[in-house]
Amino acid sequence: MQADSNAKIILTDDGSHSLESAQFEASYHSTHGAIQETDTVFIQAALAHQLSKAPEQLAILEIGFGTGLNALMSYLYSQKEAPQCQIQYLALEAYPISSETAAALNYTEELAAAASQDTFLAMHSLPNRWQTLAENFNFCLNIQRFEELTAQNAFDIVYYDAFSPNVQAELWEEPMLKKIYEAMRPGACLSTYCAKGAFKRLLKSIGFRVEALPGPKGKREMTRAFKEA
């Protein structure tokens, strides 16, 4: 896959970096704050919610690895809040950023986690292989198109973080979302920043139970959806 080599680092309102994609003419995160968006949409709405059930293990699928912020914050949260839970984290990305770009991002500094910089860079540096980043956290970044997903009944959490429907409409349509539904286990949770009515109606038609939650700064709503048991 071709790397997003012309992505430009930008500063968001909470002091954390994001990237502006020249290829897609879109930012990777909310300009209101990359870290606050990830915390609201993925860590609190999905990871913390599922961990509240005290599982012994969780499998996470991320659609759109991008800068790696979601994976980094999931790793940090798991180490602090749930070291007893075994986490398998699979991220998919069709257009990876370079290791040099990743190294220039300020996430570990802004998160007061400088000791995890090597872990963050390892997420970007060793694609298509599983890595044990901590005793309870295994990670793999697969460089592939999202549409190539073939998993069945495999994941407890899905971070749906593709570019918006205005940019990559095909990733928000029925064929792709059915793949996601089939990849999820009963009781699994999908979380995304998107709150478009057509998207939520489509999720319901596929079989998801859909919730509208307060969104991160700059967005009134976001979406959480469950595959019922």
Side-chain angles (χ1 to χ4, degrees):
M1 295 292 177
Q2 182 180 0
D4 196 350
S5 56
N6 293 320
K8 176 185 176 182
I9 293 177
I10 61 173
L11 191 66
T12 67
D13 289 350
D14 67 2
S16 58
H17 284 154
S18 185
L19 295 176
E20 184 77 24
S21 172
Q23 180 176 357
F24 293 102
E25 299 183 341
S27 62
Y28 280 57
H29 307 95
S30 168
T31 57
H32 294 282
I35 285 175
Q36 67 88 23
E37 179 185 43
T38 288
D39 185 61
T40 300
V41 178
F42 301 113
I43 305 304
Q44 299 304 323
L47 182 57
H49 180 273
Q50 295 296 78
L51 283 173
S52 71
K53 304 173 187 178
E56 294 183 358
Q57 58 186 20
L58 281 176
I60 301 173
L61 172 66
E62 180 176 16
I63 299 294
F65 178 67
T67 65
L69 179 59
N70 298 339
L72 173 65
M73 290 183 64
S74 297
Y75 167 81
L76 294 173
Y77 189 89
S78 74
Q79 299 311 290
K80 182 179 180 181
E81 302 293 340
Q84 76 288 349
C85 181
Q86 291 293 319
I87 292 178
Q88 302 283 327
Y89 192 114
L90 175 63
L92 306 186
E93 178 57 61
Y95 305 99
I97 66 173
S98 68
S99 295
E100 292 76 17
T101 299
L105 297 170
N106 68 354
Y107 297 143
T108 56
E109 177 184 352
E110 289 296 310
L111 292 164
S116 297
Q117 179 71 359
D118 287 347
T119 298
F120 176 64
L121 296 181
M123 291 175 173
H124 288 273
S125 302
L126 298 169
N128 304 313
R129 57 179 286 188
W130 282 97
Q131 305 177 63
T132 300
L133 301 180
E135 287 187 5
N136 72 323
F137 199 98
N138 294 311
F139 173 84
C140 182
L141 167 61
N142 275 1
I143 307 303
Q144 67 178 79
R145 292 175 59 83
F146 306 148
E147 296 93 331
E148 295 169 354
L149 179 69
T150 59
Q152 299 281 323
N153 197 38
F155 298 102
D156 305 292
I157 295 172
V158 175
Y159 295 164
Y160 208 76
D161 202 17
F163 283 119
S164 75
N166 294 333
V167 177
Q168 289 183 302
E170 70 278 6
L171 300 180
W172 303 87
E173 295 172 351
E174 186 173 8
M176 184 63 201
L177 295 173
K178 278 189 171 180
K179 281 180 175 285
I180 297 298
Y181 186 83
E182 292 167 359
M184 295 167 65
R185 294 175 177 146
C189 165
L190 176 151
S191 191
T192 183
Y193 62 85
C194 182
K196 288 182 175 290
F199 168 64
K200 290 186 286 188
R201 289 190 293 273
L202 181 55
L203 289 177
K204 290 177 182 178
S205 74
I206 291 170
F208 285 97
R209 175 171 61 84
V210 177
E211 297 178 346
L213 301 180
K217 184 178 179 181
K219 280 189 68 70
R220 185 171 61 88
E221 287 187 354
M222 53 167 283
T223 302
R224 183 168 65 187
F226 296 90
K227 182 176 181 177
E228 299 283 37

